[in-house]
């Protein structure tokens, strides 16, 4: 059992909602908290809510009677496939990587959103970024960037960015396979200490 989650589904004929998250802790409690979060995402997301509204609503529900003091870092995006407009909200999660036109690679800007489940009154902010045809978003949990070798050396953000840069023209599937192999090469068989989840969204335009 694990505490990572990801999901993607259509909100309507032209908007796709996608999300990735990482619950604190391990084992069955983390897995149950993850399942509740994913269920809340599906039940909360609809045509009328912004990315920030969805995350704010989920956070309020998770924060109620949270005696275990668990929390979940979470990134939610809503991509309008007609216009390439990506509206998103980051609740304390690792910033995704943007690959522009299969060439330029960089992290999303760091936002001030905190993980969900901590404070029910926190109001999250929606950000917006314009995507062009062939742009791709790479999302991941910290099990990737914090993968350790036998000497406790982390895979790290810089190496992740370099791997993605080397495979900037790859399909989402090939990019994820390349990142998986790069982590395996780094840890050299060392026992995996955390869940590792990746997802990539490629925008092809109209």
């Amino acid at each position: 059992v694990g505490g990572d989650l990801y999901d993607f589904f259509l909100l309507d004929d032209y908007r796709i909602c996608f999300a990735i998250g990482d619950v604190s802790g391990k084992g069955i409690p983390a897995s149950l908290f993850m399942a509740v979060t994913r269920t809340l995402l599906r039940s909360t997301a609809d045509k009328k809510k912004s990315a920030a509204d969805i995350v704010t609503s989920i956070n309020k529900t998770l924060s109620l009677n949270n005696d275990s003091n668990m929390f979940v870092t979470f990134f939610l995006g809503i991509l309008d496939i007609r216009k390439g407009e990506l509206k998103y909200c980051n609740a304390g999660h690792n910033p995704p990587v943007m690959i522009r036109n299969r060439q330029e690679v960089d992290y999303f800007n760091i936002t001030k959103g905190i993980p969900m489940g901590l404070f029910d009154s926190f109001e999250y902010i929606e950000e917006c970024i314009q995507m062009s045809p062939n742009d791709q978003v790479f999302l991941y949990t910290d099990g990737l960037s914090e993968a350790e070798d036998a000497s406790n050396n982390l895979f790290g953000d810089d190496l992740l960015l370099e791997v993605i840069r080397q495979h900037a023209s790859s399909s989402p599937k090939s990019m994820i396979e390349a990142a998986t192999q790069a982590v395996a090469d780094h840890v050299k068989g060392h026992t995996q200490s955390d869940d590792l989840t990746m997802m990539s969204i490629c925008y092809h335009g109209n």
Side-chain angles (χ1 to χ4, degrees), residues 5-11 16-19 34-47 49 54 58 74 76:
L5 67 104
Y6 73 94
D7 203 356
F8 55 92
F9 51 91
L10 288 172
L11 290 175
I16 181 173
C17 179
F18 59 92
M34 175 273 288
V36 170
T37 302
R38 187 172 182 271
T39 299
L40 287 171
L41 168 63
R42 286 277 181 157
S43 63
T44 302
D46 61 35
K47 299 177 183 179
K49 292 184 174 67
I54 295 169
I58 297 173
F74 194 74
L76 182 139

Side-chain angles (χ1 to χ4, degrees), residues 60-71:
K60 287 181 178 179
T61 303
L62 289 177
S63 299
L64 294 174
N65 302 315
N66 184 13
D67 297 331
S68 63
N69 293 318
M70 300 188 76
F71 59 87

Side-chain angles (χ1 to χ4, degrees), residues 8-27:
F8 55 92
F9 51 91
L10 288 172
L11 290 175
D12 48 40
D13 291 339
Y14 57 87
R15 291 190 305 160
I16 181 173
C17 179
F18 59 92
I20 191 168
D22 185 1
V23 177
S24 61
K26 300 181 184 301

Side-chain angles (χ1 to χ4, degrees), residues 11-134:
L11 290 175
D12 48 40
D13 291 339
Y14 57 87
R15 291 190 305 160
I16 181 173
C17 179
F18 59 92
I20 191 168
D22 185 1
V23 177
S24 61
K26 300 181 184 301
I28 292 175
S31 183
L32 291 173
F33 203 80
M34 175 273 288
V36 170
T37 302
R38 187 172 182 271
T39 299
L40 287 171
L41 168 63
R42 286 277 181 157
S43 63
T44 302
D46 61 35
K47 299 177 183 179
K48 301 177 182 178
K49 292 184 174 67
S50 69
D53 289 338
I54 295 169
V55 173
T56 298
S57 177
I58 297 173
N59 174 64
K60 287 181 178 179
T61 303
L62 289 177
S63 299
L64 294 174
N65 302 315
N66 184 13
D67 297 331
S68 63
N69 293 318
M70 300 188 76
F71 59 87
V72 53
T73 66
F74 194 74
F75 181 96
L76 182 139
I78 298 176
L79 175 61
D80 187 320
I81 60 177
R82 301 171 304 172
K83 301 180 289 185
E85 186 178 68
L86 173 57
K87 295 182 178 180
Y88 66 91
C89 182
N90 192 340
H93 196 74
N94 302 75
V97 178
M98 174 63 79
I99 304 101
R100 292 287 192 185
N101 195 30
R102 304 184 184 277
Q103 295 178 345
E104 300 175 16
V105 175
D106 204 356
Y107 287 105
F108 277 50
N109 292 330
I110 300 294
T111 57
K112 296 181 180 180
I114 63 173
M116 300 188 302
L118 297 174
F119 302 103
D120 61 1
S121 61
F122 190 86
E123 294 293 332
Y124 292 89
I125 298 174
E126 183 176 81
E127 307 280 346
C128 185
I129 192 168
Q130 183 64 43
M131 296 185 70
S132 300
N134 295 320

Side-chain angles (χ1 to χ4, degrees), residues 140-160:
Y140 61 98
T141 58
D142 62 12
L144 177 62
S145 56
E146 296 180 4
E148 297 180 343
D149 63 13
S151 300
N152 297 323
N153 296 309
L154 300 181
F155 185 73
D157 296 333
D158 291 341
L159 182 53
L160 172 58

Side-chain angles (χ1 to χ4, degrees), residues 171-189:
S171 67
K173 182 175 185 293
S174 296
M175 185 175 293
I176 288 174
E177 289 173 345
T180 302
Q181 185 59 53
V183 170
D185 292 343
H186 173 76
V187 302
K188 296 181 176 66

